[in-house]
Amino acid sequence: MNLILLTHDDIENDRLARVRDPRRLRHLREVHRATPGDRLTLGVVGGHIGQGELLTLGEQEATFALSPLDQTPPPPLPVHLVLALPRPRMLARTLEHVTALGVKQITLLHTRRVEKSYWMSPELTPEKIHHHLVLGLEQARDTLLPEVSLERGFRPFVEDRLPALLEGRRGLLAHPGMPSACPRGVEAPTLLLVGPEGGFIPWEVDRLLEAGCEGIHLGQRILRVETAVTALLARLF
């Protein structure tokens, strides 16, 4: 936790912050090994970043005296990530990784090779998704939560949602065997589509290409989804 991420409810009169949830308190004690007088980096969800002096640290509460929070968070990546819904454990890690890298728009998509049981996972509850997004923000010293949407049908997504998402964006379909290597140093707004373990089926690839996406690849190696997404974002931006 490189950032103590505060909500507006944690702050009193813009000068004092109270942290009460067990996870953050445990991290302060066991990882930071914080003691009163320490200065730590804090940020407000959706807002700015600055320093705070730890005043008290107990079993139920930590209090901070806030200095002006006047630093802006890191700039977001110009990308909307469309990700075929991974296995639940991989989903948790992937959400944290892409949030730490600066992705602010995420769509989780059903495809033929996505197990229907994945959609019933507790990892898809709003509370669990929010938890993993917060962990990603804390890692990267960021404060801006990504927006996550769920698309449970591939055909409705391609026919009804995809055209609007491609307006003003470059659509990149990452899939093994595509004709072009993944570009580097992209600055334009981008829609990046990544398939599940085993990839998109040929019919899905055809529909995405017909919709206006460009097919790209990362070479001959077949990577796990969480590895492929990280490698794609690092290379593209």
Side-chain angles (χ1 to χ4, degrees), residues 134-211:
V134 166
L135 292 179
L137 293 180
E138 291 174 343
Q139 174 64 39
R141 289 191 175 181
D142 195 356
T143 63
L144 303 179
L145 281 165
E147 297 178 3
V148 179
S149 59
L150 308 181
E151 294 285 347
R152 298 173 183 266
F154 182 85
R155 187 190 291 271
F157 170 77
V158 171
E159 295 178 354
D160 301 332
R161 284 270 291 140
L162 186 57
L165 291 176
L166 287 172
E167 288 183 7
R169 291 189 179 96
R170 181 181 181 183
L172 297 177
L173 167 61
H175 186 74
M178 291 290 100
S180 300
C182 178
R184 298 178 184 270
V186 175
E187 297 181 357
T190 302
L191 185 75
L192 176 63
L193 299 103
V194 182
E197 296 292 325
F200 294 106
I201 64 172
W203 180 84
E204 292 167 342
V205 171
D206 290 343
R207 301 292 81 74
L208 293 171
L209 294 176
E210 289 171 1

Side-chain angles (χ1 to χ4, degrees), residues 2-218:
N2 298 313
L3 172 78
I4 311 299
L5 190 61
L6 306 171
T7 69
H8 291 283
D9 291 338
D10 294 328
I11 300 175
E12 297 180 8
N13 301 320
D14 296 327
R15 296 180 181 177
L16 180 72
R18 298 183 185 275
V19 173
R20 294 188 174 100
D21 70 281
R23 182 185 68 84
R24 288 183 294 174
L25 290 173
R26 184 169 58 252
H27 198 92
L28 285 168
R29 289 193 301 267
E30 298 177 4
V31 179
H32 285 288
R33 299 185 183 276
T35 58
D38 288 351
R39 294 187 64 81
L40 299 171
T41 302
L42 300 96
V44 180
V45 172
H48 287 74
I49 298 168
Q51 294 287 308
E53 179 183 348
L54 182 63
L55 300 177
T56 63
L57 176 58
E59 291 296 323
Q60 304 298 323
E61 180 182 85
T63 60
F64 289 89
L66 299 179
S67 300
L69 303 181
D70 53 9
Q71 302 171 34
T72 58
L77 297 183
V79 64
H80 184 144
L81 174 64
V82 178
L83 178 66
L85 183 64
R87 287 174 293 152
R89 291 181 64 183
M90 187 178 293
L91 170 63
R93 294 194 298 267
T94 303
L95 287 175
E96 293 173 23
H97 293 338
V98 301
T99 300
L101 287 168
V103 176
K104 298 302 178 187
Q105 293 177 297
I106 304 166
T107 296
L108 301 175
L109 175 66
H110 185 74
T111 68
R112 180 69 63 83
R113 292 192 172 117
V114 171
E115 295 286 343
K116 292 182 179 179
S117 61
Y118 293 174
W119 291 99
M120 297 181 285
S121 168
E123 293 294 339
L124 280 178
T125 62
E127 295 77 15
K128 280 285 192 178
I129 289 176
H130 182 268
H131 171 74
H132 294 301
L133 300 181
V134 166
L135 292 179
L137 293 180
E138 291 174 343
Q139 174 64 39
R141 289 191 175 181
D142 195 356
T143 63
L144 303 179
L145 281 165
E147 297 178 3
V148 179
S149 59
L150 308 181
E151 294 285 347
R152 298 173 183 266
F154 182 85
R155 187 190 291 271
F157 170 77
V158 171
E159 295 178 354
D160 301 332
R161 284 270 291 140
L162 186 57
L165 291 176
L166 287 172
E167 288 183 7
R169 291 189 179 96
R170 181 181 181 183
L172 297 177
L173 167 61
H175 186 74
M178 291 290 100
S180 300
C182 178
R184 298 178 184 270
V186 175
E187 297 181 357
T190 302
L191 185 75
L192 176 63
L193 299 103
V194 182
E197 296 292 325
F200 294 106
I201 64 172
W203 180 84
E204 292 167 342
V205 171
D206 290 343
R207 301 292 81 74
L208 293 171
L209 294 176
E210 289 171 1
C213 298
E214 306 171 39
I216 62 170
H217 66 80
L218 277 173

